Amino acid sequence: MATLSQRALAAINRFNAAHPWSHNTHYHRWILRHLPRRPGAVLDVGSGAGVLARRLATRAGTVHAVDADEAITVRARALTDPGTAVTFTVGDALTDLPPGPFAAVTCVAALHHLPLAPALTVLRDRLAPGGRLIIVGLAVPDTPGDHLLGALAVPANLVMGWVHNGGRPGPRPASMTAPVASPTHTLAQIRAEARRLLPGARLRRRLFWRYTLLWQRPAGWPVSSPAPGASP
């Protein structure tokens, strides 16, 4: 017989399945607030269904959106109005990114699909001087603070699902149909790599099982060689 906690978890899962909403889209406004003023070209890595790329196009001159999954990229193109300043490309984030430089590089819920240090290096090196790296990511919960914030997110998630769907069951957003993977690094491990590769980066634990990382490339940052296997 199922325990009370098992029945409660099953009820929560049923509610979430009937009232889906995107935790990633929740942070799009935060990303837009941290874009440079009047950005020219922006690179969106792990662009999925293109929701963020289309929002970036309202602020940037051009947006280059790259995702490794062909099916979700086809869907992103279909959902994008003709004339929108977004180019969707199927490619590997370590080897197929356009060289840039870019005024901003965004990466939402995609960094944990990649080897951490090479990915941070490639994204960093695509930035123009003064350009900003803006990441929303997932980490393995490891500390009491992680678990406490995760527990607080459960009721908040129910409320947000209800509000986003107008109190009625709804379909999964297109942004939730991209391939997913579980994170493999803790926040402490990500912070250590960020300190090494992105001195001065601001990394914060966030609600809804996410963290944010913000780094601005100094004007005098040396031009470095791409990571092994990366495009020049």
Side-chain angles (χ1 to χ4, degrees), residues 70-219:
E70 183 173 4
I72 198 66
T73 303
V74 169
R75 188 165 190 186
R77 290 174 183 144
L79 291 169
T80 303
D81 292 335
T84 304
V86 182
T87 300
F88 290 101
T89 303
V90 179
D92 184 278
L94 295 185
T95 60
D96 299 323
L97 297 183
F102 295 95
V105 175
T106 60
C107 182
V108 177
L111 188 61
H112 66 285
H113 289 253
L114 305 166
L116 180 59
L120 287 176
T121 301
V122 169
L123 300 183
R124 177 196 72 188
D125 290 345
R126 292 307 191 270
L127 287 170
R132 293 180 184 175
L133 177 60
I134 307 171
I135 293 173
V136 177
L138 287 75
V140 177
D142 179 55
T143 67
D146 294 336
H147 293 293
L148 175 60
L149 197 60
L152 293 174
V154 173
N157 187 63
L158 297 176
V159 172
M160 293 293 284
W162 179 266
V163 170
H164 275 274
N165 289 276
R168 298 180 297 275
R172 295 178 73 199
S175 59
M176 294 179 66
T177 61
V180 298
S182 298
T184 56
H185 291 87
T186 66
L187 197 63
Q189 291 170 327
I190 297 166
R191 182 175 282 112
E193 285 300 315
R195 284 173 178 165
R196 184 172 69 88
L197 297 169
L198 310 170
R202 289 182 282 165
L203 193 149
R204 289 185 57 188
R205 183 189 293 114
R206 298 281 184 172
L207 195 60
F208 303 125
W209 308 282
R210 297 294 184 270
Y211 70 86
T212 59
L213 186 155
L214 181 65
W215 182 73
Q216 183 163 323
R217 179 171 179 159

Side-chain angles (χ1 to χ4, degrees), residues 11-24:
I12 290 171
N13 289 336
R14 287 194 300 271
F15 182 92
N16 288 336
H19 303 83
W21 68 285
S22 173
H23 302 135
N24 299 325

Side-chain angles (χ1 to χ4, degrees), residues 21-57:
W21 68 285
S22 173
H23 302 135
N24 299 325
T25 303
H26 177 74
Y27 287 99
H28 286 182
R29 284 187 294 179
W30 177 86
I31 292 170
L32 294 174
R33 286 199 306 271
H34 287 89
L35 285 177
R37 185 173 297 179
R38 298 190 183 92
V42 173
L43 174 64
D44 183 33
V45 178
S47 49
V51 179
L52 176 59
R54 288 186 288 273
R55 296 190 72 173
L56 291 170

